[in-house]
Amino acid sequence: MSDTSSKITLRILDGSDRGKTFSEIEAPITIGREDGNTIQLNDERVSRFHAKIQQDHEQIVLTDLESTNGTKVNGEEIQLRILRFGDLLSIGRSVLLFGSREQINDRLATLRENQKDDPTGSSIPGADGSSYDMVMSDAELQAAMFDLDPPTIPERLTPGQAAQLSELMEFLHIRMRSLVRGAEPLGESVSFKIEKWQELLDLHARISEYISQIGNPE
């Protein structure tokens, strides 16, 4: 893992801090409710010092710091877990996406190449021996959401327009959250095709960022 890829990026998809992005942070980092954490979450269900992410050789490792409400990765309660780009971390009421868009896109490209090399053509093995059941076409990869330039937020909105746009984004966010919660993670796989799942998460992240920007204009 190169120095660039080992830097940690976390995007908050849900929770009171949704829309925030922490980019290219040097490990180790801590996540918790208290001052002094690298990432401080405004969430009463998050422990004072909830979790730690550190580098161990070429792996990025997440450790739950004996938190009150636990830590989940892709829906699974964990104590210790090697993270891969695109993983979902649930800490209290907050949901965080691990990896930048570029890191997740690179991982999908690698999985696509691995699928070509798989003689069965049926699954892609994960680092822990699990498999990703998916079929990715070149056209679907090219259409990945994080390969496209996102639309920009309109400038000079009136208070009424800002309220209307915020209400629309809130509605979309609730619907998207329902879709995400409707998925059933099984180990390292979900009921969505993996590339569609990442598109869904990326769109979810963008909507969260837009809500945050509209609600807190500079």
Side-chain angles (χ1 to χ4, degrees):
M1 184 176 292
S2 66
D3 291 340
T4 300
S5 62
S6 65
K7 291 183 179 180
I8 294 166
T9 295
L10 290 166
R11 289 179 277 163
I12 302 180
L13 303 188
D14 214 347
S16 58
D17 296 293
R18 69 184 179 191
K20 289 185 178 179
T21 297
F22 299 86
S23 299
E24 296 193 349
I25 309 170
E26 293 283 353
I29 71 170
T30 59
I31 303 171
R33 193 179 70 250
E34 194 87 350
D35 287 338
N37 284 285
T38 315
I39 297 177
Q40 184 180 9
L41 296 176
N42 182 24
D43 185 337
E44 72 278 4
R45 291 184 61 83
V46 172
S47 295
R48 292 170 60 249
F49 291 90
H50 195 108
K52 181 178 182 178
I53 301 178
Q54 59 192 326
Q55 185 170 356
D56 183 10
H57 298 289
E58 295 186 349
Q59 307 289 357
I60 298 295
V61 180
L62 170 67
T63 304
D64 181 82
L65 300 176
E66 299 183 355
S67 64
T68 301
N69 294 304
T71 301
K72 294 181 178 180
V73 175
N74 299 328
E76 282 189 37
E77 194 88 24
I78 63 97
Q79 179 59 41
L80 194 67
R81 175 64 63 88
I82 294 173
L83 293 178
R84 290 183 287 278
F85 301 129
D87 281 347
L88 272 182
L89 285 56
S90 298
I91 298 176
R93 291 189 173 91
S94 302
V95 180
L96 298 85
L97 178 61
F98 174 65
S100 66
R101 292 184 175 103
E102 292 76 14
Q103 288 170 329
I104 295 173
N105 195 32
D106 287 345
R107 181 182 173 218
L108 287 178
T110 299
L111 291 176
R112 183 67 177 89
E113 289 302 313
N114 289 345
Q115 187 183 43
K116 290 179 180 177
D117 296 335
D118 181 5
T120 67
S122 59
S123 64
I124 301 299
D128 59 355
S130 60
S131 64
Y132 305 90
D133 296 323
M134 60 183 173
V135 176
M136 293 192 290
S137 69
D138 291 334
E140 286 173 328
L141 283 176
Q142 291 170 2
M145 183 61 68
F146 34 76
D147 279 342
L148 304 178
D149 290 330
T152 58
I153 296 176
E155 298 179 355
R156 296 183 293 277
L157 293 173
T158 67
Q161 290 172 329
Q164 287 179 308
L165 184 56
S166 181
E167 185 177 13
L168 174 60
M169 291 295 185
E170 191 71 37
F171 170 76
L172 292 173
H173 184 267
I174 291 170
R175 294 298 300 271
M176 191 65 65
R177 182 172 58 193
S178 176
L179 288 172
V180 171
R181 289 179 176 175
E184 297 183 0
L186 300 172
E188 290 298 320
S189 65
V190 293
S191 57
F192 293 111
K193 293 179 181 178
I194 189 68
E195 74 278 10
K196 293 299 181 184
W197 171 248
Q198 295 296 342
E199 286 183 41
L200 187 63
L201 293 181
D202 189 69
L203 181 57
H204 190 180
R206 290 192 191 281
I207 293 173
S208 297
E209 292 162 7
Y210 290 162
I211 293 173
S212 178
Q213 292 173 33
I214 292 168
N216 300 284
E218 294 182 357

